[in-house]
């Protein structure tokens, strides 16, 4: 079984409106709000690539890029 | 294909408020269409008027932004003449069930193969927070400053009673479940209704002290439960999520093809 | 020729005209005195693979029409009285989004439910101004079944040429009266088919960018070009815009294509207009009585004439002005309180010579009613 691993977590700062939804509901607490009230990933290594944040974001501002890795 | 291939990127960031559930519905809808691998030119989005109806302009399909409440009637004309197209009608709750209530029940009764997505934020967002037929008793709105004395509809019960052959409900908190339901609805042959309970933090949230978008999502998490769950037995107030109706009945366009066949045979 | 001769109601003549024009889709809701149109089409359309639907009301009917038209269909609905009121919202959308469609209104008495089974011509100004906002409209009418047929075909041609809704304003007498109709051979009347874009897939298509001749080639929904359609002011791609230049330009375009371009070819009939001392201006079933009076007076050697309008909107003021130039008296014969009379007064050089001969009790105006007005104008002896 290939294990899912995060390659990149991109936040489109132009589109993010800082609602905090991704931050609150990420099961691993990967994201935070920065000083300009934009979401930023701060604990990428904890990400389990569940893609919940990506789908919850009302502004389509999150792009999860994963890499596939053989176990 | 990445999400950006399905949207008209030049209109982003979109006009919806921070934390508005309508954006999540747009997000979920795109993922479903991507998963289904549908051709962009085979999809028609018909919307009415409201914050929710702005969804049409953001999607790179054939899109029609029509009149308040009338989207299903426009969609009926399209679908009947191009049955091979996937016709999806995203609607606001006022749009679908106040001014458009008649079109809604009749589209359901005909069982025409259209997917109706009711983006239910229980308020009129676009016009500034007036109560809707989904607000319900005791809700505050700009036209219910002393709280609403109107009872609300249950979208799923109404759709089922009107004859929709697929009826489901989810929320903008339960995005994976919502995606599954929209996917099933698009694949279903017949009139399908998916109610997505959505949040309008700007008006509903503020006027009803429900807090911000995050608080409103938690509220939907805590006040809903899957159909048939034990929790419902203990707390009858919980709103059920899931598929309420999934049945087969003659679909309208196919049935009319039969009419044509009879007429051509001279009967 | 025998096979092509029918004895029909006006409503059936309209149906024949629509089928001749290539009607693909009808959506409607029953209402007297237009119902026969829906009933006949429910039977006739599927015989050719075309489609009929009875919607939940007239609002839904016009909306379904617009949707169907966008998929490439020639579309029509038919209604009367209160139904025409319900159509107005969608009619405005069709104007704004430039969607070809034909709306038949077989007029009955109003306001409100009025007199369903009797004749009136009270919707003339509603056809012009019924939907909100500044706009232009095309409305045609006819006084006999051959012309009902011809005007119905013409309505489709205008709708396609200018990407516009066209209103056919018939009336209860015309709709229900039986008369001879000779069906033209296929190809006898020139048809305007939809102008489709030649822009290839992958090349930027502008659904709302007029060509040099003002026409807008269309692309069917479901085709290779994906664009937006809206009732809001919009740019050349069909996306909402509140830019004042866009708003100004679009409204001017919508007015110009009807008030200037479509207005070039008003339809009318004339009888002894050249030397008329007293010229009647009339339309629809009222024009039949007016013509009767003219013929009788001419037999007596009196200089009466008739200008029968078939294009009501855009109002053919140039024609009215020209044909009335030599007349001492102008008498507008209509079954309302003077809706066209008002427009005639604005068009002629001496409005004080315009008189109204009308009837508003639900009964067809008779030659005797008209004679009475003439007697008032000319004095005794008439
Ligand atoms: C015939 C008509 N009446 C009223 C309006 C004004 N109007 C626009 S949107 C709207 C309500 C929107 O509420 P809803 O449908 O629930 O959608 P939301 O904005 O909450 O997404 C109203 C009343 C209109 N556009 N047309
Ligand atoms: S959910 Fe989207 S818009 Fe909201 S804070 Fe996160 S990235 Fe920004
Ligand atoms: S993919 Fe899942 S774990 Fe990773 S940041 Fe998003 S929500 Fe958190
Ligand atoms: S007003 Fe409400 S419904 Fe409208 S965009 Fe804002 S949050 Fe969304």
């Amino acid at each position: 079984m290939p294990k899912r691993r995060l390659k990149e977590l991109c936040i489109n700062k132009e589109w993010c409106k800082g609602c905090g939804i991704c931050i609150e509901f990420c099961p691993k607490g990967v994201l935070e709000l920065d000083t300009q009230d934009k979401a930023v990933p701060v604990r990428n290594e904890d990400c389990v690539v569940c893609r919940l944040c990506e789908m919850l974001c009302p502004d389509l501002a999150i792009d999860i890029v994963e890499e596939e890795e053989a176990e | 294909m990445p999400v950006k291939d399905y949207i008209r990127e030049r209109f982003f960031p979109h006009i919806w408020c921070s934390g508005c559930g309508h954006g999540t519905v747009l997000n979920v809808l795109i993922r479903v269409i991507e998963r289904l691998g549908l051709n962009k030119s085979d999809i028609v989005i018909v919307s009415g008027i409201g914050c929710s109806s702005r969804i049409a302009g953001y999607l790179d399909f054939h899109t029609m932004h029509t009149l308040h409440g009338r989207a299903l009637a426009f969609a009926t004309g399209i679908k009947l003449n191009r049955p091979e197209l996937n016709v999806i009608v995203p609607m606001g709750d006022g749009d679908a069930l106040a001014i458009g209530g008649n079109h809604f029940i009749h589209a359901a009764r005909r069982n025409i193969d259209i997917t109706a997505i009711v983006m239910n934020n229980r308020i009129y967002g676009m016009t500034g927070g007036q109560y809707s037929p989904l607000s319900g008793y005791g809700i505050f709105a700009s036209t219910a400053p002393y709280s609403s004395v109107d009872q609300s509809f249950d979208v799923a019960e109404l759709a089922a009673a009107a004859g929709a052959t697929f009826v489901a409900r989810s929320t903008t908190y339960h995005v994976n479940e919502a995606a599954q339901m929209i996917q099933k609805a698009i694949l279903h042959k017949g009139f399908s209704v998916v109610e997505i309970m959505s949040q309008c933090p700007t008006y509903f949230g503020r006027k009803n002290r429900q807090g911000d978008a995050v608080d409103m999502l938690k509220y939907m998490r805590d006040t809903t439960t899957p159909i048939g769950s034990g929790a419902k037995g203990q707390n009858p107030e919980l709103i059920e999520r899931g598929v309420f109706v999934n049945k087969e009945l003659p679909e309208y366009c196919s049935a009319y093809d039969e009419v044509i066949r009879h007429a051509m045979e001279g009967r | 020729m025998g096979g092509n001769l029918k004895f029909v109601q006006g409503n059936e003549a309209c149906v024949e005209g629509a089928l001749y024009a290539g009607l693909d889709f009808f959506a409607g809701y029953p209402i007297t005195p237009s119902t026969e149109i829906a009933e006949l089409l429910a039977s006739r359309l599927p015989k050719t693979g075309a489609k009929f639907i009875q919607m939940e009301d007239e609002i839904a009917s016009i909306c379904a029409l617009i949707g169907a038209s966008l998929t490439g269909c020639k579309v029509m609905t038919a209604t009367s009285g209160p139904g025409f009121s319900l159509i107005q919202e969608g009619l405005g959308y069709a104007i704004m989004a430039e969607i070809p469609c034909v709306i038949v209104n077989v007029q009955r008495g109003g306001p409100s439910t009025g007199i369903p089974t009797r004749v009136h011509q009270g919707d003339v100004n509603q056809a012009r101004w019924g939907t909100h906002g500044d706009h232009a409209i095309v409305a045609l009418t006819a006084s006999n079944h051959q012309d009902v047929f011809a005007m119905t075909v013409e309505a489709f041609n205008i709708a396609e040429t200018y990407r516009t809704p066209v209103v056919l304003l018939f009336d209860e007498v015309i709709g229900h009266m039986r008369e001879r109709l000779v069906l033209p051979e296929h190809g006898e009347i020139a048809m305007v088919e939809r102008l489709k874009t030649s822009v290839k897939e992958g090349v930027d298509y502008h659904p709302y960018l007029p060509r040099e001749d003002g026409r807008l080639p269309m692309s069917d929904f479901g085709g290779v070009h994906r664009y937006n359609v809206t009732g809001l002011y919009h740019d050349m791609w069909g996306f909402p815009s509140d830019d004042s230049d866009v708003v100004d330009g679009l409204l001017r375009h919508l007015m110009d294509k009807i008030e200037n371009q479509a207005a070039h070819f008003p339809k009318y009939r004339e009888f002894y207009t050249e030397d008329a001392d007293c010229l009647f201006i009339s339309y629809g079933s009222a024009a039949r009585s007016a013509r009767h009076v003219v013929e009788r007076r001419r037999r007596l050697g009196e200089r009466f004439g008739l200008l029968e309008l078939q294009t009501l909107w855009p109002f053919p003021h140039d024609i009215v002005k020209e044909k009335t130039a030599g007349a001492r008296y102008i008498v507008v014969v209509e079954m309302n309180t003077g809706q066209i009379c008002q427009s005639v007064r604005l068009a002629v050089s001496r409005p004080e010579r315009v008189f109204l001969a009308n009837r508003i009790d639900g009964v067809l105006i008779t030659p005797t009613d008209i004679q009475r007005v003439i007697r008032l104008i000319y004095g005794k002896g008439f």
Side-chain angles (χ1 to χ4, degrees), chain B residues 6 8 15 42 50 62 68 87 94 102 115 131 163 166 177-179 203 224 244:
Chain B
Y6 292 91
R8 290 164 171 152
I15 57 157
D42 291 339
H62 301 283
H68 191 34
V87 181
N102 200 30
T115 306
Y131 64 93
F166 182 92
E177 177 190 85
Y203 294 112
T224 65
F244 295 86

Side-chain angles (χ1 to χ4, degrees), chain A residues 10-12 15-24 31-33 37-40 53-54 56-62, chain B residues 18-19 24 27:
Chain A
C10 314
I11 307 271
N12 183 339
W15 293 10
C16 168
K17 294 187 185 129
C19 66
I21 290 176
C22 57
I23 295 153
E24 178 69 27
L31 298 133
E32 273 178 18
L33 274 191
D37 271 353
K38 304 280 177 187
V40 278
C53 56
E54 195 183 43
L56 276 169
C57 173
D59 288 276
L60 311 184
I62 304 181
Chain B
S18 170
T24 303
N27 191 336

Side-chain angles (χ1 to χ4, degrees), chain C residues 46-364:
Chain C
K47 289 187 174 151
T48 60
K51 292 175 179 177
F52 168 94
I53 188 169
Q54 182 171 313
M55 295 299 287
E56 52 273 22
D57 58 26
E58 291 83 352
I59 301 173
S61 303
I62 178 88
C63 296
L65 278 199
I66 294 168
S69 184
L70 266 175
T71 68
C73 294
K74 285 192 174 179
V75 301
M76 181 172 96
T77 187
T79 188
S80 305
F84 194 53
S85 293
L86 291 189
I87 293 255
Q88 299 304 326
E89 187 191 26
L91 177 61
Y93 188 93
I95 291 171
M96 184 56 122
E98 303 191 64
I99 311 291
C101 54
V102 174
I103 298 144
V104 183
N105 175 4
V106 185
Q107 295 171 91
R108 64 190 222 178
S112 191
T113 316
I115 318 184
T117 54
R118 295 290 180 80
V119 69
H120 262 235
Q121 294 175 318
D123 302 348
V124 172
N125 281 343
Q126 187 189 14
R128 176 65 188 87
W129 291 115
T131 196
H132 62 276
D134 214 355
H135 64 275
I137 193 82
V138 180
L140 310 176
T141 183
S143 67
N144 63 74
H145 293 7
Q146 207 60 48
D147 287 349
V148 166
F149 182 99
M151 286 306 125
T152 304
V153 175
E154 177 71 8
F156 281 92
N157 283 350
I158 292 174
E160 292 299 338
T161 306
Y162 301 103
R163 279 189 64 166
T164 184
V166 176
V167 178
L168 282 168
L169 271 183
F170 300 134
D171 60 58
E172 191 276 335
V173 167
I174 296 298
H176 283 161
M177 177 183 78
R178 287 190 176 271
E179 188 173 77
R180 202 180 103 94
L181 170 70
V182 182
L183 291 179
E185 295 293 337
H186 191 73
E188 219 175 298
I189 306 180
M191 293 303 313
V192 178
E193 295 309 326
R194 184 157 302 181
L195 181 65
K196 302 262 172 101
T197 180
S198 55
V199 172
K200 298 274 178 302
E201 180 167 10
V203 181
D204 205 3
Y205 161 67
H206 302 97
Y208 292 101
L209 181 65
R211 299 197 310 196
E212 222 146 81
D213 61 1
R215 292 188 69 185
L216 296 167
M218 292 184 79
S219 173
D220 294 347
F221 258 37
V224 295
H225 299 294
R226 297 182 300 273
Y227 57 97
N228 190 55
V229 177
T230 176
L232 294 168
Y233 275 94
H234 48 270
D235 60 20
M236 63 186 174
W237 290 277
F239 291 109
S241 170
D242 53 13
D243 180 291
S244 53
D245 288 339
V246 169
V247 174
D248 182 90
L250 178 52
L251 183 54
R252 282 179 199 284
H253 159 75
L254 295 177
M255 299 300 292
D256 175 75
K257 72 174 183 178
I258 305 299
E259 295 289 348
N260 295 326
Q261 299 183 51
H264 276 154
F265 311 101
K267 298 280 170 188
Y268 62 92
R269 303 207 303 168
E270 52 186 325
F271 306 91
Y272 316 102
T273 49
E274 315 78 31
D275 65 341
D277 182 62
C278 177
L279 182 74
F280 293 144
I281 297 181
S282 190
Y283 54 95
S285 57
R288 298 172 75 97
S289 299
R291 184 162 171 210
H292 193 89
V293 174
V294 167
E295 297 290 354
R296 198 157 67 197
R297 290 290 176 178
R298 282 283 165 177
R299 280 198 297 276
L300 297 171
E302 291 158 5
R303 295 199 339 257
F304 279 70
L306 167 65
L307 174 64
E308 181 196 327
L309 303 180
Q310 293 175 313
T311 300
L312 294 181
W313 307 114
F315 190 74
H317 35 72
D318 291 352
I319 295 292
V320 168
K321 188 166 184 159
E322 177 194 327
K323 303 291 176 190
T324 54
R328 188 146 55 110
Y329 300 117
I330 299 147
V331 180
V332 179
V333 182
E334 58 184 336
M335 288 178 286
N336 55 46
T337 52
Q339 299 192 10
I340 282 293
C341 190
Q342 217 176 27
S343 296
V344 169
R345 286 202 172 111
L346 291 174
V348 301
S349 46
R350 299 176 62 183
E352 67 279 9
R353 295 180 169 202
V354 178
F355 300 87
L356 173 66
N358 71 345
R359 202 163 166 157
I360 53 168
D361 59 355
V363 178
L364 178 67

Side-chain angles (χ1 to χ4, degrees), chain B residues 136-147:
Chain B
Y137 194 89
I139 290 299
F140 289 92
S142 64
T143 45
Y146 308 107
S147 98

